[in-house]
Amino acid sequence: MSQPLHNNICEKSRFEAFFKKHAKSLHDFLYYKFGDRLNPEDKAQEAFIKLWENCKKVSPDKAKSYVFTIANNLMLNEFAHQKVVLKHQKLKRTNQTNESPEFLMEENEYRQKLELAISNLTEAQRVAFLMNRTEGKRFKEIAEILGISTKAVEKRIYGALKKLRQEIDGL
């Protein structure tokens, strides 16, 4: 097996040739995978910048996989960031309400009572209850995650509901 001639891609002409050879295919890869909204051209450029910044650490035979991995991760990070932005925008809109101040005060008091009641549950009940009610997991999924039987999950959740009903009227 022959050894590569160069240990890294830091030489300007070698990097330019690499860029010209792979820039379009990297852009196309990002475009086909994520679409145009997350700006694949910018992410491809950023990936090549990171390659240049770390050129001494990257051998020429690993450069292509390095730049594609970096670009893919940049797009995934941007996608996650956009999800957070959208969620935040949704929250802003839902906080605007036409409810009366009395209703909002009662709702806040109820939320505080509920949070206190949930914190008073045993840890086992609280974990099972919150996995079911907030994360939407089914009893079987919770049982697999916690390493217990489905019946044990049912008992924990029903026990939690019973305690919550006792502590908060009308739940």
Side-chain angles (χ1 to χ4, degrees):
M1 185 174 205
S2 65
Q3 291 290 329
L5 249 51
H6 309 286
N7 291 338
N8 58 47
I9 197 160
C10 290
E11 186 181 305
K12 185 179 177 188
S13 61
R14 192 175 309 123
F15 187 85
E16 282 180 16
F18 179 82
F19 177 82
K20 287 178 183 175
K21 183 176 180 183
H22 297 291
K24 181 167 177 18
S25 62
L26 178 60
H27 171 270
D28 293 347
F29 166 74
L30 296 174
Y31 178 79
Y32 296 142
K33 187 170 181 181
F34 297 100
D36 198 29
R37 281 195 347 208
L38 299 178
N39 207 346
E41 191 171 324
D42 283 355
K43 299 303 182 265
Q45 291 290 333
E46 285 180 51
F48 280 106
I49 290 169
K50 288 201 184 279
L51 175 63
W52 181 253
E53 290 170 347
N54 296 306
C55 67
K56 288 187 168 113
K57 300 175 189 172
V58 180
S59 63
D61 57 329
K62 304 279 187 199
K64 183 178 178 184
S65 65
Y66 178 86
V67 80
F68 272 72
T69 301
I70 293 295
N72 190 53
N73 288 342
L74 287 168
M75 291 296 275
L76 290 172
N77 290 344
E78 182 65 23
F79 182 75
H81 174 70
Q82 291 302 320
K83 280 177 65 175
V84 170
V85 168
L86 287 173
K87 186 176 180 180
H88 185 68
Q89 287 174 344
K90 253 185 178 176
L91 286 175
K92 275 187 174 178
R93 273 190 244 124
T94 58
N95 285 342
Q96 298 172 351
T97 180
N98 293 331
E99 304 295 339
S100 69
E102 293 84 18
F103 176 81
L104 295 174
M105 189 175 75
E106 288 175 9
E107 184 181 38
N108 191 34
E109 287 175 8
Y110 182 79
R111 184 176 293 113
Q112 288 174 352
K113 282 183 186 178
L114 179 62
E115 288 173 2
L116 179 66
I118 289 174
S119 69
N120 289 336
L121 296 173
T122 66
E123 183 178 351
Q125 289 175 330
R126 184 174 48 251
V127 168
F129 176 77
L130 291 175
M131 288 175 85
N132 178 255
R133 298 302 165 121
T134 60
E135 296 177 23
K137 294 193 182 310
R138 301 197 182 282
F139 290 2
K140 187 176 180 181
E141 292 175 291
I142 297 169
E144 290 173 4
I145 292 170
L146 298 178
I148 57 176
S149 70
T150 307
K151 279 289 187 194
V153 172
E154 289 176 20
K155 185 175 180 181
R156 289 178 182 185
I157 292 174
Y158 293 135
L161 288 170
K162 186 176 179 182
K163 279 186 179 179
L164 291 174
R165 281 189 194 104
Q166 288 171 352
E167 289 192 36
I168 301 173
D169 295 329
L171 183 67

